[in-house]
Amino acid sequence: MRLRRILSTVGVTGLTAATLFTVGPASAAVAGSGAVSVPDNVCVDQHADMKVRPGGAAKADPNELTAEQAAAREGELRQALKANAKMGPEAGIAAIVTIPVVFHVISENGTRAGGNIPDSMINSQMTILNQSYAGQFGGVDTQFRFTLQSINRVTNAAWYPIPYNTNTERQMKAALRVGGKGTLNIYTGDLTNGLLGWATFPQNTLNTYDGAVILAESLPGGTASPYNLGDTATHEVGHWLNLYHTFQGGCNGNGDFVSDTPAERSAAFGCPTGRDTCRNRAGLDPIRNFMDYTDDACMFEFTAGQATRMQSAWTAFRAG
Ligand SMILES: [Ca+2]
Ligand SMILES: [Ca+2]
Ligand SMILES: [Zn+2]
């Protein structure tokens, strides 16, 4: 999952004034009590307290795991690797893996403003995905590549915006999802809860919920600045390939289960300099990593450890 730093009025309805942190002039501060309506220029400073989330999203965020959930998933990964005869010594992949991608473009009414983004934005997104996973902006070549299989344009006002973690979302995916475990289904549209996107982790049994949901305007050329260079898709596909956030688990224990990403207490936003939220752990926070929450212009790399983790998960869960 990825959250916007600046949230829309809809996204923060229901938060109390005490949970809001504002930036800029004092006049932007929220007054009153009870349910508040927050103007668009108010920033909810989520890295002050990651428990502060709009719309209850944190309660059921599929990409935010408890320590127990993460441990269970690690056990599942080990079991699957053990059971998979194709597993190499490093559980990695020997060659480039090219993943077919299906874009489901959800639109309210068929217009550009209503979510019907042009082919050019989708093609640019494919280019960004390939460049990012090849390490062309920094970091390593993960060995993953992506090829556009098809664009499926859907006009359905009931799926616009795509309502996060609802029966409607499940029904939409059940109706639209195509392909096997190794086919990446991306759903674009407007999203509820102020979200930029969310994705499913790989698992033993494929179900129709599998895939990534991406804010259409986060694609390259979209309007969701500073999140409109295409890195939301890169981030969500990282989850789809089994990566956790760099701040998973905070400063303790295994964190994100990747040894070469320094531990991080909480999500970073913007593009902070010298951030070091785990002073007792080596390294500055990995704010340049695609699996943090920083601005698109700030994030540009995967590490070797993340590449190995994705390759292991591919072998265990998604390889045909
Ligand atoms: Ca780590
Ligand atoms: Ca540190
Ligand atoms: Zn995420």
Side-chain angles (χ1 to χ4, degrees), residues 262-263 276-285:
D276 189 5
T277 54
C278 296
R279 301 297 292 272
N280 61 333
R281 301 287 296 270
L284 296 176
D285 292 2

Side-chain angles (χ1 to χ4, degrees), residues 157-281:
W159 296 342
Y160 198 93
I162 300 172
Y164 168 68
N165 195 32
T166 59
N167 284 334
T168 301
E169 183 202 353
R170 291 172 196 281
Q171 287 160 5
M172 177 194 78
K173 288 178 169 178
L176 300 181
R177 194 190 185 286
V178 296
K181 290 181 173 185
T183 299
L184 172 59
N185 283 249
I186 293 180
Y187 305 83
T188 68
D190 193 19
L191 311 184
T192 62
N193 301 63
L195 295 169
L196 291 163
W198 64 88
T200 56
F201 293 111
Q203 53 186 26
N204 279 321
T205 308
L206 178 68
N207 62 52
T208 56
Y209 194 59
D210 184 82
V213 181
I214 313 282
L215 179 70
E217 297 298 344
S218 78
L219 270 60
T223 59
S225 177
Y227 309 109
N228 59 348
L229 303 179
D231 293 337
T232 294
T234 302
H235 175 108
E236 301 304 338
V237 172
H239 288 313
W240 189 78
L241 291 169
N242 209 37
L243 295 187
Y244 298 136
H245 293 135
T246 49
F247 48 90
Q248 169 71 37
C251 300
N252 302 314
N254 292 313
D256 62 354
F257 294 86
V258 173
S259 60
D260 59 2
T261 52
E264 187 176 30
R265 186 178 302 278
S266 61
F269 288 88
C271 197
T273 301
R275 190 174 191 262
D276 189 5
T277 54
C278 296
R279 301 297 292 272
N280 61 333
R281 301 287 296 270

Side-chain angles (χ1 to χ4, degrees), residues 64-75 244 248-250 252-255 257:
E64 301 280 343
L65 286 82
T66 65
E68 291 75 18
Q69 287 171 326
R73 293 206 68 260
E74 293 315 294
Y244 298 136
Q248 169 71 37
N252 302 314
N254 292 313
F257 294 86

